[in-house]
Amino acid sequence: MKYPKDGKFGEFGGKYIPETLVPAIEELEENYLKFKENKEFKKELDYYLKQYAGRPTPLYYAKNLTEKCGGAKIYLKREDLLHGGAHKINNTLGQALLAKKMNKKRIIAETGAGQHGVATAMACAVLGMKSEVYMGYKDTIRQKLNVYRMNMLGSKVHPVKSGSKTLKDAINEAIRDWITNVEDTYYLLGSAVGPHPYPVMVRDFQSVIGEEIKTQMKKLSNKTPDIVIACVGGGSNAIGTFYPLVNTNTEIIGVEAAGKGLKSKYHSATLSAGSKGVLHGMMTYLLQDDEGQVTETHSISAGLDYPGVGPEHAYLKDTNRVKYRSATDAEVIDAFLMLTRTEGIIPALESSHAIAEAMKVARKSKRSESIVVTLSGRGDKDVEEVQRYLSKNDKN
Amino acid sequence: MTRINEKFAELSAKNEKALITYIMVGYPNESATISIVRGLIKGGADIIELGFPFSDPLADGPVIQNASTVSLNNGTKITSFFKIVKKIRNETDIPLVLMTYTNILYHKGYASFIAEAKKAGIDGFILPDMSIEESKEYIESAKNMADTIFLISPNTTKSRIEKIVKTSSGFLYLVAVYGTTGIKAGIQNYTLKAIKKVKKIAKGKIPIGVGFGVSTPEDVKKYITAGADAVIVGSAFLKLIEKTPKNSLEKSIASFTKSLKKQTILK
């Protein structure tokens, strides 16, 4: 859906927000519409994406992994090679530049694994703006390296101790801050979630991934990829990968975090196991109990530990355009180790979900077919977490 | 005429403004809720807002957020909430307003939730994350069943206030300050101006209640003097409940309520 005027993807999305935020959301939408087609803005963003962030990223043929799986050719879209180590910088540069044009002096953000927080801190540093980041207390422990990075980049990190102490609560706190400081603060949301226009805006800034995949695959094989796969938490790297390919013949697969299994309570697979509801300003699929209380989630990957999902994904699921599957923590660790050992690339645990699915799909596909997996980030931040998992589960 | 409309008419005849009080049901526990309500009524509260807890109360500050968590941990469910409402209803005719978040109603279905709430004795709803843009089904489901009280912020534009006035019934909830519930921001000039602006647009068709950060008799007096038809006090009650022993809850609540109510009686 190009630009939904009412912010709706079918019945999903919308603006379920406290009244105090309405003028801020309206101001944001007005400015986004104004600048997204503005030549100067586009030129400036393009400059930062190329010269600062390192775009375009390579489309790497993972020959060893392909041979190991024995099926379709696996290509990796190397968002892990971007400055900061994740796709998050595409969106933060876009939004921080927009905030600057809007003369906002203070930027707030939330982060799960810390990659969005780091990317926000970087974009704000290079554009000369102040930033503060909300992060679930639990996530500050498991991703302490990213907390240090944010601090060094000049960003203040607020550990959030309420609720499940993860991303969902960091978003609640960021929204509370925004309500209180609405007149001079810009909320730089990290995923394709939240009230309209955030899901559309984040998608547009991340669509550079899918656009490049299209161009690069065309050069390689003169067609779009047969299959694309990306991991889905809130779903920003996935929607950025999928959106430019939605109107093509490419088969599209999103992969959620099945944690300890979909039948357990310990997962974050919102689309696979959730139901419709309203959270963080949007109507979408949610993990909730019989009473409509949002439930706690689990994933080995802090970046996917979120009980909601971007509303456009909810729409793509219901219209059957995209298949949503899931990978367990155990499958994710296997995929993480497999890519690390076959290709010498340490993937983020988030991206390892997509790798896990790609390995399954490749085995069942023809050798003539191509699979593009978005490697949304690098796994340096996850090394300790993987080590903990391996020693606990006696694996090596 | 709804219970809320009747209450405002009755107060107006007595030259009084309304004191609206908020408490969280199930905080600190179910039996205390009944004592607290008795105290509120004894102290002269005109309308009672009953909070139903939500896991993600993003428009609430730490005090209500904590009460919400305690209530959920105590096992407050929709059915137990309605049972408490029925118990309260057996004792009083005071207007009761349910304050919670959109997902609680949406999950059960707006029409079915509102019908059940009405049956239990609820007169109106406040949903801080329900915008007028998304309210069509909610409004239709509440029609002739319950009042739909929407919020207005000091930064809401004139044209939007006009829309909110048309969409709301019972009273309008003017958020006094930028921030979440319980915020200590003092009385701002922009709020006093907002009261005048909203009154002018509402043209007396619907009363205006001022809430968020209203915690003392002095606050109540200032907002009433500025022209508010009602004041809403919430977090201050929860703070009082937190520090009061259970056996003296009813008495302390009644005494604090009385001190606030006094300021709404015009001479």
Side-chain angles (χ1 to χ4, degrees):
Chain A
M1 212 171 279
K2 234 177 166 185
Y3 187 86
K5 247 187 162 179
D6 56 356
K8 290 283 179 72
F9 302 96
E11 64 186 302
F12 302 105
K15 296 173 185 172
Y16 293 84
I17 46 170
E19 191 58 32
T20 307
L21 294 181
V22 170
I25 280 284
E26 284 176 350
E27 183 194 14
L28 174 63
E29 185 172 13
E30 192 186 307
N31 279 280
Y32 177 58
L33 288 173
K34 183 172 130 193
F35 285 108
K36 82 186 201 106
E37 300 306 336
N38 177 285
K39 269 188 192 166
E40 278 303 303
F41 181 84
K42 280 163 84 171
K43 206 173 136 191
E44 209 174 335
L45 179 59
D46 197 49
Y47 168 81
Y48 281 109
L49 286 174
K50 279 182 181 150
Q51 307 300 330
Y52 180 75
R55 299 217 73 92
T57 57
L59 185 69
Y60 169 73
Y61 172 47
K63 187 167 168 273
N64 301 335
L65 182 67
T66 299
E67 278 170 10
K68 205 92 185 165
C69 294
K73 288 190 187 75
I74 301 174
Y75 293 88
L76 304 176
K77 180 59 177 164
R78 299 290 308 273
E79 296 299 290
D80 61 317
L81 292 179
L82 283 171
H83 179 48
H87 71 289
K88 295 288 185 186
I89 194 83
N90 302 326
N91 171 50
T92 57
L93 281 172
Q95 283 198 57
L97 198 58
L98 179 65
K100 196 171 181 176
K101 301 282 176 206
M102 289 167 71
N103 291 319
K104 297 284 178 184
K105 299 282 178 273
R106 179 175 179 261
I107 300 232
I108 55 165
E110 83 300 322
T111 194
Q115 288 301 95
H116 172 62
V118 169
T120 300
M122 284 172 173
C124 287
V126 74
L127 295 173
M129 301 172 89
K130 275 187 184 168
S131 64
E132 290 177 41
V133 180
Y134 289 90
M135 188 170 185
Y137 178 70
K138 217 192 255 177
D139 294 335
T140 61
I141 307 280
R142 51 179 173 173
Q143 298 291 349
K144 61 177 181 231
L145 186 66
N146 272 340
V147 176
Y148 294 143
R149 291 166 85 196
M150 283 183 266
N151 287 334
M152 278 189 280
L153 287 159
S155 186
K156 191 175 173 189
V157 179
H158 300 279
V160 176
K161 291 188 174 172
S162 58
S164 56
K165 304 176 182 66
T166 58
L167 179 60
K168 146 180 111 83
D169 308 286
I171 296 182
N172 288 337
E173 263 334 294
I175 294 176
R176 288 191 181 107
D177 180 320
W178 196 23
I179 293 173
T180 310
N181 302 292
V182 68
E183 291 197 306
D184 65 352
T185 297
Y186 182 95
Y187 178 19
L188 205 163
L189 230 165
S191 196
V193 300
H196 177 69
Y198 281 108
V200 181
M201 187 167 66
V202 175
R203 174 198 76 190
D204 290 352
F205 286 135
Q206 291 294 1
S207 286
V208 64
I209 305 172
E211 293 294 351
E212 283 178 14
I213 290 173
K214 253 169 116 175
T215 313
Q216 289 164 325
M217 277 308 286
K218 195 161 184 212
K219 222 172 173 183
L220 275 173
S221 60
N222 210 23
K223 58 174 193 166
T224 55
D226 295 302
I227 303 162
V228 294
I229 303 175
C231 64
V232 180
S236 69
N237 89 88
I239 204 70
T241 302
F242 301 166
Y243 180 65
L245 292 158
V246 159
N247 294 323
T248 69
N249 293 325
T250 299
E251 185 183 339
I252 305 177
I253 304 170
V255 190
E256 299 189 293
K260 294 179 183 174
L262 291 185
K263 284 183 183 158
S264 76
K265 282 181 180 173
Y266 303 96
H267 64 79
S268 307
T270 314
L271 291 163
S272 310
S275 53
K276 289 170 194 169
V278 176
L279 179 71
H280 295 148
M282 61 181 166
M283 168 82 67
T284 187
Y285 276 95
L286 294 180
L287 291 174
Q288 54 188 329
D289 67 14
D290 297 344
E291 298 256 310
Q293 304 289 355
V294 180
T295 51
E296 292 194 5
T297 50
H298 163 84
S299 169
I300 191 164
S301 150
L304 300 185
D305 210 348
Y306 180 62
V309 64
E312 195 162 3
H313 286 293
Y315 173 76
L316 291 170
K317 173 199 152 76
D318 274 14
T319 52
N320 289 319
R321 176 60 188 97
V322 176
K323 288 177 194 152
Y324 291 92
R325 294 180 183 150
S326 59
T328 62
D329 288 349
E331 289 171 323
V332 167
I333 293 290
D334 286 346
F336 174 94
L337 293 174
M338 176 66 91
L339 189 69
T340 303
R341 289 172 185 175
T342 55
E343 299 288 351
I345 296 171
I346 302 176
L349 283 171
E350 289 85 343
S351 319
S352 302
H353 286 73
I355 301 290
E357 178 66 21
M359 284 160 55
K360 284 185 213 166
V361 173
R363 287 185 188 115
K364 291 183 208 152
S365 307
K366 293 180 208 147
R367 283 173 191 276
S368 57
E369 288 185 307
S370 58
I371 301 174
V372 173
V373 186
T374 297
L375 198 64
S376 57
R378 69 176 189 224
D380 307 34
K381 67 181 174 58
D382 296 318
V383 169
E384 275 185 59
E385 191 69 28
V386 172
Q387 222 171 12
R388 268 197 292 272
Y389 182 93
L390 293 177
S391 58
K392 211 169 141 189
N393 292 276
D394 208 21
K395 282 188 176 183
N396 213 330
Chain B
M1 210 182 208
T2 68
R3 275 201 193 99
I4 297 174
N5 292 343
E6 276 171 14
K7 176 58 77 176
F8 277 102
E10 176 198 320
L11 290 170
S12 170
K14 289 196 288 185
N15 204 22
E16 280 182 29
K17 302 294 180 184
L19 172 68
I20 304 175
T21 57
Y22 169 94
I23 55 157
M24 172 65 71
V25 165
Y27 175 78
N29 55 52
E30 198 182 309
S31 64
T33 300
I34 302 288
S35 311
I36 294 162
V37 168
R38 285 182 186 141
L40 293 172
I41 294 169
K42 258 190 195 164
D46 297 303
I47 296 172
I48 298 177
E49 280 180 22
L50 298 171
F52 180 78
F54 180 51
S55 52
D56 296 82
L58 53 82
D60 286 305
V63 175
I64 292 182
Q65 193 188 356
N66 174 54
S68 203
T69 307
V70 170
S71 178
L72 280 175
N73 290 343
N74 283 342
T76 303
K77 303 267 179 199
I78 296 166
T79 46
S80 57
F81 176 85
F82 287 145
K83 269 186 199 160
I84 297 172
V85 175
K86 280 178 190 160
K87 272 190 198 167
I88 298 171
R89 206 28 104 214
N90 285 337
E91 295 188 17
T92 176
D93 276 335
I94 195 167
L96 297 173
V97 174
L98 168 51
M99 185 161 178
T100 189
Y101 285 79
T102 300
N103 196 50
I104 298 294
L105 271 70
Y106 174 80
H107 188 71
K108 210 171 161 56
Y110 292 120
S112 120
F113 191 101
I114 292 169
E116 208 175 322
K118 168 85 179 163
K119 216 170 121 192
I122 291 290
D123 301 299
F125 288 90
I126 300 172
L127 306 174
D129 60 341
M130 172 62 83
S131 64
I132 47 168
E133 285 82 1
E134 310 296 345
S135 67
K136 203 176 160 207
E137 195 187 336
Y138 161 61
I139 295 287
E140 274 169 17
S141 307
K143 209 174 177 185
N144 302 322
M145 294 285 273
D147 284 317
T148 50
I149 297 145
F150 278 84
L151 277 72
I152 289 179
S153 170
N155 59 2
T156 308
T157 58
K158 186 174 175 261
S159 63
R160 207 173 155 80
I161 297 173
E162 283 164 357
K163 278 188 210 157
I164 296 174
V165 167
K166 273 187 200 158
T167 318
S168 302
S169 60
F171 62 92
L172 293 171
Y173 193 133
L174 175 63
V175 171
V177 281
Y178 300 129
T180 49
T181 52
I183 187 168
K184 278 184 194 159
I187 292 177
Q188 303 290 326
N189 267 337
Y190 65 70
T191 316
L192 304 179
K193 277 186 194 160
I195 295 172
K196 289 198 172 65
K197 183 165 91 175
V198 178
K199 269 185 85 92
K200 206 172 158 189
I201 298 168
K203 291 178 189 146
K205 284 180 196 154
I206 186 162
I208 296 148
V210 178
F212 280 43
V214 186
S215 62
T216 63
E218 292 72 36
D219 294 344
V220 173
K221 192 176 181 182
K222 279 201 179 143
Y223 289 127
I224 295 293
T225 312
D229 301 301
V231 284
I232 305 149
V233 181
S235 296
F237 276 104
L238 297 183
K239 278 187 196 163
L240 178 65
I241 292 164
E242 196 187 354
K243 64 178 187 192
T244 307
K246 208 192 153 195
N247 55 7
S248 52
L249 260 179
E250 192 177 321
K251 208 174 147 195
S252 323
I253 294 286
S255 151
F256 180 51
T257 308
K258 208 171 170 186
S259 71
L260 299 170
K261 176 61 199 169
K262 211 174 150 188
Q263 304 302 328
T264 69
I265 302 167
L266 306 177
K267 301 219 167 84

